[in-house]
Amino acid sequence: MLVLGIETSCDETACAIVRDGKKICSEVVVTQIPYHRRFGGVVPEIASRRHLEAINSVVEEALFKSGFEMSHIDRFAVTVGPGLTGSLIVGITAARALGEIYDKPVFGVNHILAHLSVNFLSADISLPYIGLTASGGHCDLVFAKSHDEFELLAKTRDDAPGEAFDKTAKMLGFPYPGGAEIEKIALGGNEHAVKFPVPRFKDGSEDFSFSGIKTFVKNLISKTDKKKLPDLAASFQKSIATIFADKIIAAAKKKRCQRVLVAGGVMANSFITAHLEEECVKNSLQLFYPKAQLCTDNACMVACRGFWQKKSLPLRPEPDLKI
Ligand code: KG4
Ligand code: ZN
């Protein structure tokens, strides 16, 4: 089955064609980051306008690169949420129009679950699994009983981990989004140099929290000698990796599940995935994570999710779509 996926939920206009959830036939990602950079974050009005300008050529290019005709596509898939309303409308409208013209089904998919789906491209993974999506807007830990049944185990109560990376990078003078810059500075640092607080909730909740870590790093940056910044960046990264590992291991034990899938922009960080790999091996868990390019927003993930899902989500924008 050939699925054409469209992603426009935030600041990437993307289209990809994937065969049987396994083979990427083509993919195109046009990022808007340069247009948002001077504002220090994504500006919704600019985002929807840019999606509108880019969508037709992005879809055409993906089709051209695949060598297929539009009539060969069996299903269209599109992100319906969570995301920016105006941006989601552009992708949904394009997918609906294609479905109508070519008389093929259109599957609305959840962006957070789509992130996890790219793991199925390179490996045959049986279910159930524990999944963690960690990105610029989200941090969701799920238990996937099947491709259509998900239990939300924990979510962030404040910032997303990517936000903590971006805000820390901004404090160090890097442009938005600075997550990858933190990874670069941290390369020469000692991850044991600074002890970070471990976020806990008084009500015993298993949820994530990253705002305390961000404030902690903010207070330290001004007092830290420039030469010691790599140590601070490495310790910051380690604290986030430790939170991920602890939550994943606790969830795997609770659900008696040995498979773990992670994804989302923050998982492009190779220190974090190496730490997770180490901890998973120690706990006899099998870890799957995508290559860095498929961790950040793309449309392969939408096409993959569209392949595995049994039925479509309603084809309307759901900015706060939950799992
Ligand atoms: O998944 P994504 O592309 O978009 C959302 O759905 O939010 O994630 C983007 C986030 C940004 O916050 C970015 O700084 C972060 O992923 N990111 C990283 C790295 N590469 C991207 N964070 C840490 N280390 C990286 N190498
Ligand atoms: Zn994303």
Side-chain angles (χ1 to χ4, degrees), residues 47-251:
S48 44
R49 190 173 289 268
R50 290 279 158 195
H51 284 306
L52 199 55
E53 282 166 11
I55 189 73
N56 286 350
S57 55
V58 165
V59 171
E60 272 166 25
E61 193 183 338
L63 188 68
F64 177 75
K65 278 182 159 179
S66 74
F68 291 113
E69 302 284 330
M70 203 55 102
S71 56
H72 295 144
I73 303 297
D74 300 295
R75 182 182 289 175
F76 296 99
V78 63
T79 301
V80 295
L84 302 167
T85 309
S87 298
L88 292 165
I89 288 174
V90 176
I92 296 169
T93 309
R96 288 185 71 160
L98 288 167
E100 199 68 42
I101 296 165
Y102 293 94
D103 196 22
K104 294 287 163 59
V106 182
F107 273 34
V109 311
N110 179 318
H111 181 89
I112 296 166
L113 299 177
H115 267 299
L116 294 171
S117 303
V118 283
N119 283 296
F120 292 91
L121 276 167
S122 48
D124 291 322
I125 310 169
S126 37
L127 282 88
Y129 68 79
I130 298 291
L132 175 63
T133 302
S135 69
H138 311 281
C139 190
D140 294 284
L141 185 69
V142 300
F143 177 52
K145 292 174 219 168
S146 75
H147 284 294
D148 297 283
E149 280 173 287
F150 294 86
E151 183 186 338
L152 180 64
L153 303 176
K155 61 181 183 331
T156 182
R157 286 213 183 166
D158 40 58
D159 290 348
E163 247 178 297
F165 267 95
D166 294 340
K167 288 176 182 167
T168 303
K170 192 176 175 185
M171 289 180 241
L172 292 173
F174 293 106
Y176 167 85
E181 300 300 332
I182 300 285
E183 181 174 8
K184 279 187 214 151
I185 319 172
L187 273 178
N190 169 11
E191 75 244 34
H192 304 291
V194 185
K195 204 169 157 23
F196 271 71
V198 181
R200 286 198 210 294
F201 293 106
K202 283 195 185 121
D203 61 7
S205 159
E206 289 298 321
D207 277 348
F208 294 88
S209 168
F210 296 97
S211 70
I213 290 174
K214 179 197 65 192
T215 310
F216 185 78
V217 87
K218 183 180 177 190
N219 291 335
L220 280 182
I221 284 175
S222 53
K223 297 180 202 143
T224 304
D225 182 336
K226 271 220 161 72
K227 277 192 228 135
K228 297 271 181 209
L229 285 178
D231 289 351
L232 185 58
S235 305
F236 164 78
Q237 235 174 216
K238 173 78 188 298
S239 80
I240 295 203
T242 307
I243 295 172
F244 289 163
D246 290 353
K247 298 274 186 208
I248 286 171
I249 292 161

